[in-house]
Amino acid sequence: MIPAPFEYMAPASLEEAIRALASHGEEAKLLAGGPSLLPLMKLRLAEPKILVDISRIPDLRGIRVEGNKITIGALTTHYQIESSELIREKCPLLVQTASAIGDVQVRNQGTIGGSLAHGDPAADMPAAILALGAELRARGPAGDRWIQAEDFFLGLLATALGPTEILTEIRVPILAGRCGTAYLKVPQKASGFAIVGVAAWLKIGSKGVCEETGIGVTGLDVKPYRAKGVEEKLRGKKLTPTIMEQAASQVAQGVDALEDIHASAEFRSHLARVYPLRAIREATSKLRK
């Protein structure tokens, strides 16, 4: 299939890209890696008049430590995250999530910023970003602003980014202490997107009590979300099998499960009862000494 005709721009700087968005408005669409946008264009579900290719802007790449946080440039690919020893050591949940995305071609081409900005309700990385309580930096004509992960995803393919803003970097906490992490999902057979996916991290104190935790869910609702009900049931408790089961049962609280060609609402609801518990168990089995 062939996309509708479009013009192509490849700005050399972030400021030039922002000016292009401001000049062309809704007719323009950003291109980062392309594995989400290009299939939509080929199906004529997206028909931008102008593609603004930001993939050559060097300032949007890289992984670095800043204090007790890791900052990741929006154009950092999933493979670069998956293969980063720095992230593996300091925030392994991102490595586990990145390695579960699509296939090797998608991981080499797709970027963390492109995935998050696209806002697909079945994408993998949003679950981890939500679980970690990440912060996302957006830049537009008015300058920079930080957006909390919980405020970023608004609905189906909808995010808090303004029409002239570009996601520039993502900041996640370093997981210090006795922490365990896991990302588990049931993938769609063709695309690898999550029918239901759960990202979990837990910090366990010396007495076996859960001191802190984050649970992110994707694929179940029209947008990825943070399962605060699960977190509240885990925090401050010793993680016995009963406590973990009771906590996991809260994951779909207040959520109407999606139904589509990939799974019925009933099946997704069943997975939502099973996979949070598996992710919590997996995370506790990987606690750092």
Side-chain angles (χ1 to χ4, degrees), residues 1 24 43 83 138 191 211 233 272:
M1 288 173 276
H24 299 287
L43 292 169
S83 58
S191 67
E211 296 180 346
K233 289 287 186 180

Side-chain angles (χ1 to χ4, degrees), residues 16 22 31 58 106 143 164 166 182 184 270:
E16 185 181 346
L31 175 68
V106 169
T164 58
I166 296 175
L184 298 178
H270 166 71

Side-chain angles (χ1 to χ4, degrees), residues 176-205:
R178 193 163 175 252
C179 292
T181 63
Y183 177 69
L184 298 178
K185 70 172 178 178
V186 178
Q188 299 172 12
K189 289 185 178 180
S191 67
F193 277 101
I195 294 176
V196 168
V198 180
W201 76 271
L202 308 104
K203 182 177 181 180
I204 307 300

Side-chain angles (χ1 to χ4, degrees), residues 5-16:
F6 60 88
E7 294 182 30
Y8 174 83
M9 299 177 62
S13 69
L14 187 56
E15 288 70 25
E16 185 181 346

